[in-house]
């Protein structure tokens, strides 16, 4: 494989070294899946996005954690759109349209913000998986599930911020990840959240766009409004604007490029090691992440 341009972009933040970092690789051809997984492990970020242009002017997009390919990722989609505009690969006034394992996703510019059109993920009340609340060390006001994640509402923002989960036990939960949330107690946000996904190699994700596809309809039902602001209160932290639009959710965020480089690894590099490592990834991880 020829040398490829790559970027590292901090998503859902306006300041470098905040928000959620994603690597973005601009492809010229379809590489072996094992090579993409090896690059994801080498980058060692919560997501590495692989973008390839299509003859129709739209883009194919796939996302890999260090351990598995995932079916939906908000922050790496935002980072990919930001990269296309910043690099000049896509004209500033055009929308970025991606074809993914979660269907067609689009991103457009709205001033300094990037707005993405994602599917809503309804939350249905469900019993807490065995050991989940003990692993979180928390008492829940509500427990529910989406098609990918568990969602747990706690009694306060302070309770969300103070969590110190047992990640080894959380990894056993039958879900892509665990969304923990509460109503915001501070100005500038309507609700807060954290996202834990040790089953796919991510103890805590800094800012999780796809989790807000569930948080938006969940908090719409409780707060009575479609447009809200979510604050993810991880160590890096970030802001996600949300608006529920029927069975879709608009996710808004900002992004900052922190690194531009050239990827020189051959397509065959690491394939054997990745194949061996993939055998140990839980089956549920194959449809994972944020």
């Amino acid at each position: 494989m020829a040398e490829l341009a790559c970027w590292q972009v901090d998503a859902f933040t306006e300041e470098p070294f905040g928000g959620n970092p994603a690597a973005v690789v601009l492809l010229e051809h379809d590489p072996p899946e094992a090579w993409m997984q090896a690059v994801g492990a080498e980058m060692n970020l919560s997501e590495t996005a692989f973008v390839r242009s299509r003859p129709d002017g739209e883009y194919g997009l796939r996302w890999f954690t260090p351990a598995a390919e995932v079916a939906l990722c908000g922050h790496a989609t935002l980072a990919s759109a930001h990269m296309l505009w910043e690099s000049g690969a896509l004209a500033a006034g055009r929308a970025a349209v991606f074809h993914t394992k979660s269907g067609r996703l689009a991103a457009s510019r709205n001033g300094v913000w990037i707005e993405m059109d994602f599917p809503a993920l309804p939350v249905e009340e469900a019993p807490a998986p065995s050991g989940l609340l003990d692993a979180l060390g928390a008492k829940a006001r509500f427990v529910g599930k989406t098609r990918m994640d568990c969602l747990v509402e706690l009694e306060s923002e302070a309770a969300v911020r103070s969590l110190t989960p047992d990640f080894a036990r959380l990894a056993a939960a039958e879900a892509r990840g665990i969304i923990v949330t509460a109503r915001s107690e501070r100005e500038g946000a309507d609700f807060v959240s954290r996202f834990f996904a040790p089953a796919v190699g991510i103890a805590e994700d800094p800012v999780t766009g796809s989790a807000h596809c569930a948080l938006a309809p969940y908090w719409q039902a409780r707060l009575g409004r479609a447009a809200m602001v979510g604050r993810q209160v991880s160590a890096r932290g970030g802001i996600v604007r949300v608006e529920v639009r029927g069975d879709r959710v608009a996710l808004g965020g900002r992004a900052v490029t922190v690194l531009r480089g050239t990827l020189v690894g051959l397509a065959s590099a690491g394939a054997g090691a990745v194949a061996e490592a993939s055998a140990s990834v839980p089956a549920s991880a194959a449809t994972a992440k944020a």
Side-chain angles (χ1 to χ4, degrees):
M1 176 173 288
E3 295 183 353
L4 299 174
C6 63
W7 289 258
Q8 184 169 319
V9 177
D10 289 343
F12 294 117
T13 181
E14 60 187 87
E15 298 289 342
F17 316 122
N20 200 353
V24 183
V25 179
L26 189 58
L27 298 174
E28 298 175 356
H29 305 284
D30 287 329
E33 187 172 295
W35 177 84
M36 290 189 283
Q37 184 62 77
V39 173
E42 180 74 12
M43 296 300 186
N44 200 31
L45 300 171
S46 58
E47 251 79 25
T48 296
F50 295 89
V51 181
R52 186 184 172 191
S53 63
R54 295 161 38 115
D56 59 7
E58 298 179 351
Y59 295 87
L61 176 61
R62 296 174 72 174
W63 310 280
F64 287 78
T65 76
E69 182 173 14
V70 298
L72 186 64
C73 179
H75 86 277
T77 303
L78 189 151
S80 298
H82 170 83
M83 176 278 295
L84 289 172
W85 290 314
E86 186 180 75
S87 68
L90 186 65
R94 289 188 57 193
V97 179
F98 300 106
H99 295 260
T100 78
K101 289 194 172 184
S102 288
R104 184 178 183 273
L105 307 177
S108 58
R109 277 180 160 174
N110 183 2
V112 297
W113 291 77
I114 297 172
E115 183 177 284
M116 301 182 294
D117 175 42
F118 269 46
L121 297 175
V123 181
E124 296 184 1
E125 188 168 7
S130 177
L132 173 64
L133 298 180
D134 287 341
L136 287 173
K139 294 182 179 180
R141 295 184 63 180
F142 173 91
V143 178
K145 294 191 74 173
T146 73
R147 64 180 175 85
M148 296 191 296
D149 302 318
C150 290
L151 184 147
V152 181
E153 182 188 350
L154 302 187
E155 61 184 6
S156 67
E157 176 176 335
V160 174
R161 288 179 177 272
S162 64
L163 286 177
T164 55
D166 182 332
F167 293 113
R169 296 177 67 186
L170 277 188
E174 294 184 1
R176 174 191 74 151
I178 312 300
I179 307 166
V180 183
T181 188
R183 188 165 182 166
S184 177
E185 298 164 1
R186 308 183 187 194
E187 292 186 3
D190 297 289
F191 59 86
V192 299
S193 66
R194 292 172 70 184
F195 185 84
F196 308 109
V200 293
I202 302 160
E204 179 169 3
D205 197 42
V207 192
T208 314
S210 62
H212 285 76
C213 295
L215 289 162
Y218 180 80
W219 284 108
Q220 179 194 31
R222 281 149 181 78
L223 300 180
R225 53 185 181 273
M228 296 165 286
V229 176
R231 186 191 305 277
Q232 197 151 331
V233 291
S234 63
R236 290 174 66 102
I239 294 291
V240 184
R241 292 180 176 179
V242 300
E243 184 174 353
V244 181
R245 300 173 181 171
D247 63 353
R248 309 291 293 181
V249 175
L251 302 177
R254 299 177 68 174
V256 181
T257 300
V258 295
L259 183 150
R260 300 182 187 92
T262 303
L263 186 63
V264 298
L266 298 177
S268 60
V274 170
E276 182 178 348
S278 297
S280 65
V281 176
S284 60
T287 57
K289 189 56 193 80

